[in-house]
Structures are given as C-alpha cells and as structure tokens.
C-alpha cells in the first residue's frame, strides 16, 4: 500500500496569505495525485488531479505541482472560504489518501 | 447533471451488518465504476474499495477483505456497500464516489454521505 504523508498537520494563516501544503508518497506515484478540499459536514471537493490540473470550476489561486514522491498544493492568496481541511490522494496503485492538513484562520 | 444520492443514517449494534445504497442519475450507470470512501468522526478519508458497474468486478481494501461486499443493480442504477461484523470503529460517514472516463479514481462526484453508528 502506498502511504501518503501530509505536512504540516495544521497551518495557521490570515486571509490574503499564501498557503503551501505538502504531500509525500512512500513510493513513486508518477503524476497520479489529486488534492481535495473538505469543509465540515460536506463531502470532499476535487481541486487538482494529475498533480497539476485544476478540476472544473476551481479558481486559479489553487495550483498543484510535483511528481514522483513529492507534491505541493499552493493557494496563492487565501480567501475566507478556503479555510478547510485538504487531502491528497494517489491513484497509482488503487487509492489511498493522506492524513490531511487543516488550514485555519490565524 | 451527475447525482449520487445515498440512503439514510443507520444505527447498528456490534456484530450486525449494514447495507448502504447509492442511487446514480444523470449518466449511463454501467459506464463508470463506483468507489466507497469512509470517514470516522474527526478523522481522515479511507478508501474502502471499488466496483465496476459494467461487469461487477470489485477490488477491496485489504483491511476490509472478508467483511465488505460491493454490488450494483443496473436496473435501478444503484450501487450497494454491505459491511458485516460491525465494530465500534466502523462508526463513520460512508460516501460513494465516481470518477470520470480518463481518470476513474479521481473523484469529482460524491454522494452526500451516510452516517453509520455502531453502538450497543
């Protein structure tokens, strides 16, 4: 099973700041990595797939990068609605999710 | 538009079984597989497995092998997930999710979730 490790566990930032979230895979997943946003009481929302492609309707302030084992989700300037939990997910070998990063208001 | 509508909340006793349904609409059901993902209270996401709506082929997470069964009913465009021998740590929100043709395991489409509570 491919293990995904996300860091940090919690990111405390203010609106307008840049957020950088990390996801590391225990073995190469090539570019088969996605990012999701989840708010309380809601299903996850797909943001990024294939490591760097934005899903339909996702604002340009969200960007993904990386390949192999190291990946980054960047939110260029945090909006109030961006404070949530973010998960990475690989589909190189079936599916696993990372443990999540909570982006909270500082 | 694609919709996945799940059955309602369940309360079960330890050792019992639960069967959650996921009714699909807005697309040709047999063209896409369905994955099931669960989330324990305050915890992260756990992929449980996948079923092809075309031929019923399945792949289950190793952790759940022997306790989970995923099925589909193509006549009603509904997917089912049954979990047996329930334990307290099976308490979670259970989601069905669907991918797209080119990336069946990236999930832009989700059901609303079904809370399963296991308690004596």
């Amino acid at each position: 099973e491919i293990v995904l490790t996300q860091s940090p566990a919690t990111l405390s930032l203010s609106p307008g700041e840049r957020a950088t979230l990390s996801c590391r895979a225990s073995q190469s997943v090539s570019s088969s990595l996605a990012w999701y946003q989840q708010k309380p009481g809601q299903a996850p929302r797909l943001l990024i797939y294939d490591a760097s492609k934005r899903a339909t309707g996702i604002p340009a302030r969200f960007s993904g990068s990386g390949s192999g084992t190291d990946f980054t989700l960047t939110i260029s300037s945090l909006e109030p609605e961006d404070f949530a939990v973010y998960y990475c997910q690989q589909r190189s070998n079936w599916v696993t999710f990372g443990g999540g990063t909570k982006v909270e208001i500082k | 538009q694609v919709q996945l509508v799940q059955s309602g909340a369940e309360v079960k006793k330890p050792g019992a079984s639960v069967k959650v349904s996921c009714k699909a609409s807005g697309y040709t059901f047999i063209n896409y597989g369905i994955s099931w993902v669960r989330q324990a209270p305050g915890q992260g996401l756990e992929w449980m497995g996948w079923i092809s709506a075309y031929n019923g082929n399945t792949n289950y997470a190793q952790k759940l092998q022997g306790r989970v069964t995923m099925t589909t009913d193509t006549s009603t465009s509904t997917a089912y997930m049954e979990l047996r021998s329930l334990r307290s740590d099976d308490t979670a929100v259970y989601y069905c999710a669907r991918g797209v043709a080119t990336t069946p395991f990236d999930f832009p489409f989700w059901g609303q979730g079904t809370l399963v509570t296991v308690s004596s």
Side-chain angles (χ1 to χ4, degrees):
Chain A
E1 174 181 309
I2 297 175
V3 176
L4 299 178
T5 302
Q6 292 188 240
S7 61
T10 304
L11 201 51
S12 298
L13 295 168
S14 300
E17 289 193 294
R18 183 184 189 88
T20 303
L21 288 66
S22 174
C23 177
R24 177 164 289 176
S26 60
Q27 63 190 77
S28 176
V29 299
S30 186
S31 294
S32 299
L33 190 106
W35 290 92
Y36 296 82
Q37 176 193 67
Q38 189 180 33
K39 297 179 180 179
Q42 297 183 14
R45 174 192 182 197
L46 178 65
L47 299 175
I48 301 286
Y49 66 98
D50 287 350
S52 61
K53 298 176 182 176
R54 275 190 300 277
T56 302
I58 301 304
R61 64 180 181 274
F62 291 93
S63 63
S65 63
S67 66
T69 61
D70 290 301
F71 300 86
T72 301
L73 174 70
T74 301
I75 310 171
S76 59
S77 177
L78 283 163
E79 297 288 338
E81 62 267 29
D82 298 337
F83 291 92
V85 180
Y86 293 83
Y87 294 95
C88 58
Q89 173 235 318
Q90 66 81 23
R91 58 172 176 79
S92 175
N93 182 11
W94 292 106
V95 174
T96 51
F97 290 91
T101 291
K102 181 179 182 180
V103 179
E104 65 176 23
I105 299 176
K106 187 174 181 180
Chain B
Q1 73 283 20
V2 174
Q3 280 197 302
L4 302 172
V5 178
Q6 299 183 221
S7 49
E10 304 260 14
V11 179
K12 296 291 182 180
K13 293 193 183 302
S17 298
V18 69
K19 192 169 186 177
V20 179
S21 68
C22 170
K23 184 170 177 60
S25 62
Y27 70 97
T28 302
F29 183 68
I30 61 171
N31 286 355
Y32 299 90
I34 293 287
S35 282
W36 289 87
V37 176
R38 70 178 180 177
Q39 185 171 37
Q43 302 301 308
L45 302 167
E46 178 185 14
W47 182 75
M48 301 177 66
W50 165 88
I51 182 166
S52 165
Y54 176 72
N55 59 16
N57 285 352
T58 55
N59 182 276
Y60 302 137
Q62 190 166 5
K63 173 182 177 181
L64 297 171
Q65 289 269 5
R67 287 207 300 137
V68 67
T69 301
M70 296 175 188
T71 57
T72 60
D73 181 344
T74 56
S75 69
T76 60
S77 299
T78 303
Y80 297 91
M81 186 285 301
E82 181 180 32
L83 189 60
R84 299 176 294 279
S85 302
L86 289 168
R87 310 186 289 246
S88 57
D89 62 356
D90 291 317
T91 294
V93 176
Y94 289 75
Y95 294 101
C96 58
R98 202 212 85 177
V100 295
T102 51
T103 56
F105 296 105
D106 293 329
F107 307 123
F109 305 109
W110 293 74
Q112 82 275 20
T114 296
L115 175 61
V116 175
T117 303
V118 182
S119 174
S120 55

